[in-house]
Amino acid sequence: MATTVQDRYSNAAVALHWLIAVLIFASFPLGWISASLRLSPLKLQLVSYHKWVGVTVFIVAIARLVWRSVSAAPRPLAAPAWQHRAADLVHWSLYALMFALPLTGWIFSSATGVPTVYLGLWQLPDVVGRDRALASVLRSAHEALGWALLALVLAHAAAALKHHFVDRDGLLRRMSF
Amino acid sequence: MRCLRDRMKLIPIVLAAALLASSANAQPVDLQRSSIRVTARQMNVPFDGQFRSFTASLAWDDRKPEASKATVEVDLASFDLGEPSFNDEARGKAFLDAARVPRATFTTSSIRTLGSGRYEATGKLGIKGVTRDVTVPFSIREDGGRRIFEASLPLKRLDYGIGEGEWSDTKTLANETMIQVRLVTNAGR
């Protein structure tokens, strides 16, 4: 089944999609490992890298939405209506989490009293003052949202693979260069 | 038990302070309004802490500033970064090692007038068993009948062995730290 131009995402959309995929996959182990380490230089390094990746996800997510508003997504594949609804739900939830995770992480950092300095160069303003009770709530929220993101990413990838390899409808070509 | 021991340790300081306070020109320092803050950077992220417990004696002579004297003794175990895991590490062996040498001390040896309310003290700063000569610029201002002495001391933490072992990596934890001391006395003179 040959894909035509309007059947696939634009090169910019494809690049942004895979960039954010790589960032999310990097962010998980960084967050997971740094949270479990005792206080050490390595922990401080990983926490900083995790925050840098998170800020980058936030920026790239904005770029994706802007690009999406000027360059339309390709025609939907032929599929049952419930699958379209499920796909829409997952896609927009993924977008929501691409913002919710960096935002909760940022406020969590502020509440812990450890500001975020993007790439070690630009310090973000603190949203709230140092507040241990709030920090503990935000940490739980950030972790819960992280698990939700992982679950959705897996569902998203599983559905894409199912389309491509089981239904053989060429879905992955839409998200390739 | 521990609390009692801590109090016992304070007795010599209280005595020393009382002794100093009785000498000429000594002004009692209002510790409630005074502070000792530390600013440092990890991964270029600024963070700060403060010493919750310290004593200071000040004998300031306006007519003869160079004859003035100051001593500050800081309880290292009172260092507070606002987060228990940070505090444990900072008070522990690799950093301040408060269990081995509980107090840091600073004693002036000479004071120089720089003009327009600015001065420079030289003295000995002892932390963690290392004593070094330091130069501390400071200023004095009046505020509602109080007198405020403010000093900033840039300090290279590794000069005093603060942050040993894995923490000696200055790319993660900067060597440069800033100590800001604010001493408030009630009586202007």
Side-chain angles (χ1 to χ4, degrees):
Chain A
M1 187 185 293
T3 51
T4 58
V5 172
Q6 68 267 37
D7 284 335
R8 54 180 293 279
Y9 285 88
S10 64
N11 285 338
V14 172
L16 291 170
H17 169 271
W18 289 110
L19 174 58
I20 228 161
V22 168
L23 291 171
I24 288 173
F25 276 108
S27 162
F28 251 91
L30 286 173
W32 175 263
I33 295 168
S34 66
S36 61
L37 286 178
R38 67 177 176 84
L39 184 59
S40 62
L42 179 64
K43 183 190 180 89
L44 297 178
Q45 287 159 14
L46 296 187
V47 168
S48 271
Y49 299 154
H50 177 73
K51 291 181 184 183
W52 300 354
V53 171
V55 173
T56 312
V57 165
F58 187 88
I59 295 167
V60 176
I62 291 175
R64 288 188 71 183
L65 286 181
V66 169
W67 185 250
R68 202 183 168 118
S69 71
V70 298
S71 162
R75 281 196 304 257
L77 287 177
W82 73 266
Q83 285 189 11
H84 283 300
R85 279 200 300 275
D88 278 349
L89 184 66
V90 170
H91 289 153
W92 290 110
S93 301
L94 283 169
Y95 272 116
L97 288 171
M98 285 172 215
F99 291 105
L101 272 154
L103 286 174
T104 50
W106 178 30
I107 309 171
F108 168 42
S109 292
S110 299
T112 315
V114 184
T116 301
V117 181
Y118 186 45
L119 305 178
L121 296 173
W122 298 287
Q123 183 170 348
L124 306 191
D126 280 328
V127 203
V128 294
R130 193 180 274 173
D131 181 340
R132 293 199 59 220
L134 180 64
S136 152
V137 172
L138 285 163
R139 183 191 172 124
S140 302
H142 189 67
E143 284 172 3
L145 291 171
W147 289 120
L149 177 61
L150 183 64
L152 285 172
V153 165
L154 291 177
H156 173 69
L161 294 173
K162 188 256 181 194
H163 272 279
H164 193 83
F165 293 109
V166 178
D167 301 340
R168 296 181 176 276
D169 57 10
L171 178 106
L172 287 188
R173 278 198 291 277
R174 289 154 58 91
M175 217 17 124
S176 314
F177 293 107
Chain B
M1 197 58 188
R2 199 190 146 161
C3 198
L4 183 66
R5 250 213 333 260
D6 284 348
R7 270 161 215 247
M8 300 274 279
K9 279 188 210 155
L10 287 175
I11 288 175
I13 305 175
V14 173
L15 286 177
L19 214 65
L20 276 161
S22 67
S23 70
N25 289 331
Q27 294 101 22
V29 175
D30 184 346
L31 292 174
Q32 293 301 313
R33 291 191 166 81
S34 302
S35 62
I36 301 178
R37 296 178 177 279
V38 180
T39 310
R41 280 179 179 270
Q42 57 88 8
M43 295 297 285
N44 216 19
V45 178
F47 64 98
D48 58 275
Q50 60 176 310
F51 291 98
R52 301 277 179 197
S53 166
F54 59 92
T55 56
S57 64
L58 199 55
W60 183 258
D61 188 340
D62 269 338
R63 285 154 300 179
K64 230 179 146 205
E66 58 280 6
S68 304
K69 285 186 183 338
T71 302
V72 180
E73 295 209 14
V74 181
D75 255 319
L76 295 177
S78 74
F79 190 53
D80 187 6
L81 286 162
E83 158 67 36
S85 67
F86 298 172
N87 287 349
D88 289 347
E89 190 69 22
R91 296 167 186 175
K93 204 169 169 0
F95 282 88
L96 297 171
D97 202 3
R100 189 169 62 85
V101 185
R103 272 179 286 280
T105 58
F106 173 72
T107 310
T108 54
S109 42
S110 70
I111 289 173
R112 207 156 67 87
T113 304
L114 300 178
S116 56
R118 300 208 47 85
Y119 303 86
E120 195 178 79
T122 53
K124 298 212 176 290
L125 175 64
I127 312 173
K128 213 181 172 178
V130 180
T131 301
R132 300 176 78 102
D133 290 309
V134 291
T135 303
V136 188
F138 68 98
S139 63
I140 305 178
R141 59 188 172 89
E142 309 280 341
D143 182 25
R146 293 193 186 92
R147 180 162 260 207
I148 301 165
F149 295 75
E150 281 170 315
S152 296
L153 170 63
L155 182 143
K156 288 193 165 38
R157 63 181 179 89
L158 292 178
D159 286 352
Y160 296 86
I162 300 169
E164 294 175 82
E166 59 180 358
W167 290 109
S168 57
D169 163 25
T170 53
K171 284 200 291 294
T172 305
L173 185 64
N175 196 11
E176 291 75 21
T177 57
M178 183 60 86
I179 319 289
Q180 279 166 310
V181 181
R182 175 188 150 99
L183 298 179
V184 180
T185 60
N186 284 315
R189 199 178 287 228

